[in-house]
Amino acid sequence: MTLSIGQPVEDFTADATSDTTFRLSDYRGQQVVIYFYPKDSTPGCTTEGGDFRDNIDAFRAANTVVVGVSRDGLKAHENFKAKQGFPFELISDRDEAVCRQFDVIKLKKMYGKEHLGVERSTFLIDTEGKLAHEWRGVKVPGHVEEVLAAAQELNG
């Protein structure tokens, strides 16, 4: 199933940090930002997570929950979350089920070699569970501010 703006996002369940299970449907009535990033504790991913962390009060004021997703395991996620002081959960998507649902697994090139990896992407889901906005191929600088503005406008 391809995601389209205005269409319901299929419910999913996944293991997350803080010994929790994230279930999208548990957040009906709230907006949800799901941001996909390639790898814990790498420079771009640390910066992006830090930007979400630094704006978390504004997201909460806009009735918006933030959750990060990568293919790293829960142990790596817990360490990353604790070291960076992230006030939101990180989903471990080892089997790539959530990544594939959102179509963020892409062929990438690193050091001249091709491999499948997570394309940095963010999705804003409205209070009814419908896709409101999507950002693909994200560049980190200024991105979180753009997502926050969209969440505030949607909440308005």
Side-chain angles (χ1 to χ4, degrees):
M1 181 179 137
T2 306
L3 288 174
S4 301
I5 301 294
Q7 295 301 114
V9 176
E10 189 177 319
D11 195 19
F12 67 88
T13 303
D15 292 334
T17 48
S18 303
D19 202 24
T20 61
T21 299
F22 181 90
R23 181 174 293 105
L24 183 60
S25 59
D26 289 348
Y27 295 92
R28 287 284 150 73
Q30 292 180 284
Q31 297 174 161
V32 179
V33 166
I34 302 175
Y35 80 95
F36 291 84
Y37 62 97
K39 188 147 184 58
D40 289 343
S41 302
T42 56
C45 300
T46 300
T47 300
E48 184 179 24
D51 289 349
F52 277 112
R53 175 197 61 219
D54 296 347
N55 287 281
I56 199 67
D57 290 339
F59 277 104
R60 288 177 178 153
N63 189 34
T64 305
V65 173
V66 173
V67 63
V69 182
S70 85
R71 299 182 299 180
D72 293 298
L74 285 173
K75 188 173 191 313
H77 274 353
E78 292 290 2
N79 292 338
F80 187 40
K81 181 182 172 193
K83 185 174 181 184
Q84 300 304 324
F86 293 158
F88 48 82
E89 303 307 332
L90 301 176
I91 291 173
S92 174
D93 192 30
R94 304 285 282 178
D95 65 0
E96 300 178 352
V98 181
C99 288
R100 292 195 187 284
Q101 178 178 339
F102 285 84
D103 193 29
V104 299
I105 299 292
K106 301 292 180 189
L107 194 59
K108 299 168 83 173
K109 269 193 177 167
M110 189 187 305
Y111 308 117
K113 294 188 183 206
E114 291 185 339
H115 69 283
L116 287 175
V118 174
E119 177 184 50
R120 192 180 306 279
S121 305
T122 303
F123 300 86
L124 175 59
I125 300 166
D126 71 14
T127 56
E128 297 174 2
K130 294 178 182 171
L131 184 62
H133 290 277
E134 66 178 8
W135 295 264
R136 294 181 181 273
V138 166
K139 302 290 182 237
V140 173
H143 173 63
V144 170
E145 291 78 7
E146 191 178 332
V147 176
L148 177 58
Q152 290 168 329
E153 184 179 322
L154 193 61
N155 190 51

